[in-house]
């Protein structure tokens, strides 16, 4: 009841005209920035930090929260329409959203994503209000072996369900893990795969890898085929979800937060892991398995809902522990420190008005985001009416601008082109792109957690499975790996029984 009354006081703060204005500005800026490949919410908040020096802290953080959620939706917009993720959390949206767009159902995919973000954000924020202390306690208790087990689960899950074979999925994952090795060893400081270049010492940014594999690779692939086939404008389709679409997606919208919120609250990769796991879950539970890879709407609705809920989960650790679990949370932590505020267990007591105003603004921002983006779904989808040669020329331009904006180095453009050629080759030989992106995102963290766990156990492998949580996760991993074999054995037993009965 105390949390409820505090939330009501927060609405009193968030619904003042000036704070409503900052929420609307944040949502608009976030959506616009998220649409641009390579410029995600973390960079947007970082760029706006100097602008907010003269603002009240509450208004500044309300605007930052709007940018965060708006950029997540904007990133899924380009993922769906152009197969070009605006940020890493939007990678999964391209898997089913882009085939939907190519088949003339881009507006439906965008509508499913918008409602998914709304549902995930609302449910995630309700869970933030109700469960913040308990989730914070869970995050404190989880150690290096548990983090590593979660990342192994993500690796195995995504290579098991994507691509025409597990071997191709594993090959794609190894490409990503190799790209993730570039830079300084986090434990020893030694250079790896840098070829003597100081500019590669910091590694290859995830944004450059995602944009290169998806945007550049897709553009080159389309260009190679346009030499033989003319580029026709793709039909947009009707702008709203039908009864059949809603019937297929409402359960996905509700399942997404159950995956996204817990993973957002623990330091295990931010929104990337839950979106991947939501995709896997929806594919396993789908009654329309023949549509997957060709445009299954559940593959958009579930991951987007999980992505938005994970953003609310991220705020749990950041506000209650001062522990940033994503790049955006890290930048927001710096913003708190800019105002002389230290997030932690005492934040809710010392800065009650700010915290509850920020949480209440998340509800307001979700409504604004839905009101803004749902009507604009057919407008965004009209991008597909542009002839593909001009469209992909624009994609190459914005991809190059986004990649250059990441570090301001000309070498980033060279790396972008090289990774784009790798993406083209992966499409040529049937390798799924997503496992490679996962390898780059989670590979360095997985290596660090593995080495920490082994250091704690003095090099004993048993240290990786010395907690109930890690044992449970590895049991799920074993089930995923052995499921095809178990299914074949089960079918064989059934056939033998039927033959005996006959």
């Amino acid at each position: 009841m105390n949390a409820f009354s505090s939330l009501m006081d927060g609405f009193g703060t968030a619904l003042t005209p000036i704070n409503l204005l900052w929420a609307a500005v944040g949502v608009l800026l976030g959506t616009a920035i998220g649409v641009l490949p390579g410029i995600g919410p973390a960079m947007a908040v970082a760029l706006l930090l100097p602008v907010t020096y003269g603002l009240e802290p509450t208004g500044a953080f309300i605007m930052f929260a709007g940018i965060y959620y708006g950029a997540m939706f904007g990133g899924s917009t380009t993922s769906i329409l152009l197969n070009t993720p605006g940020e890493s959390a939007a990678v999964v949206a391209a898997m089913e959203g882009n085939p939907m767009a190519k088949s003339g159902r881009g507006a439906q995919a965008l509508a499913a994503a918008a409602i998914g973000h709304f549902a995930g954000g609302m449910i995630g924020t309700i869970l933030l209000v109700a469960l913040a202390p308990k989730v914070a306690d869970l995050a404190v208790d989880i150690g290096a072996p548990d983090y590593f087990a979660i990342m192994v689960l993500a690796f195995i899950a995504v290579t098991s369900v994507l691509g025409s074979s597990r071997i191709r999925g594993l090959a794609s994952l190894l490409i990503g893990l190799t790209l993730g090795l570039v830079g300084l060893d986090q434990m020893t400081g030694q250079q790896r795969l840098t070829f003597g270049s100081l500019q590669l010492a910091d590694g290859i940014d995830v944004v450059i890898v995602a944009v290169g594999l998806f945007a550049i690779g897709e553009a080159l692939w389309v260009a190679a085929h346009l030499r033989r086939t003319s580029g026709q404008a793709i039909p947009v389709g009707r702008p709203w979800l039908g009864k059949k679409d809603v019937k297929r997606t409402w359960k996905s919208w509700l399942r997404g937060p159950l995956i996204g919120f817990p993973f957002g609250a623990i330091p295990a990769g931010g929104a990337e892991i839950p979106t991947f796991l939501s995709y896997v879950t929806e594919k396993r539970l789908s009654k329309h398995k023949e549509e997957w890879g060709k445009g299954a709407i559940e593959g958009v609705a579930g991951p987007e809902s999980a992505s938005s809920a994970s953003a609310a989960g991220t705020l749990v650790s950041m506000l209650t522990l001062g522990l940033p679990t994503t790049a955006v949370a890290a930048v927001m932590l710096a913003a708190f420190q800019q105002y002389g505020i230290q997030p932690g267990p005492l934040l809710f007591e010392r800065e009650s008005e700010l915290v509850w105003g920020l949480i209440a603004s998340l509800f307001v921002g979700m409504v604004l985001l839905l009101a803004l983006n749902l009507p604009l779904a057919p407008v965004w989808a009209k991008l597909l009416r542009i002839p593909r040669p001009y469209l992909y020329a624009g994609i190459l331009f914005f991809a190059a601008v986004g990649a250059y904006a990441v570090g301001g180095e000309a070498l980033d453009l060279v790396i972008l082109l090289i990774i784009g050629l790798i993406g083209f080759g992966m499409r040529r030989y049937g390798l799924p792109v997503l496992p490679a992106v996962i390898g780059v995102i989670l590979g360095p963290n997985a290596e660090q957690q593995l080495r920490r766990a082994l250091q704690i156990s003095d090099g004993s492998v048993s240290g990786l499975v010395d907690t109930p949580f890690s044992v449970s996760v590895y049991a799920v991993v074993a089930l995923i790996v052995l499921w095809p074999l178990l299914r074949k054995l089960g079918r064989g037993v059934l056939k033998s029984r039927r033959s005996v009965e006959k």
Side-chain angles (χ1 to χ4, degrees), residues 214-224 226 392-393 395-396 424 427:
F214 279 92
I216 306 298
E218 179 75 9
L220 294 176
W221 180 253
V222 170
L226 283 178
Y392 282 95
I395 290 174
L396 289 173
F424 174 78
R427 286 169 171 80

Side-chain angles (χ1 to χ4, degrees), residues 171-192:
S172 176
L173 177 65
L174 291 176
I175 291 174
L177 292 174
T178 302
L179 291 174
L181 288 175
V182 176
L184 296 179
D185 186 317
Q186 297 181 29
M187 305 293 276
T188 65
Q190 293 180 337
Q191 293 190 13
R192 301 186 300 192

Side-chain angles (χ1 to χ4, degrees), residues 36-52:
L36 298 176
I39 304 180
M43 185 180 298
V45 174
L47 290 174
L48 289 170
L49 268 178
V51 181
T52 60

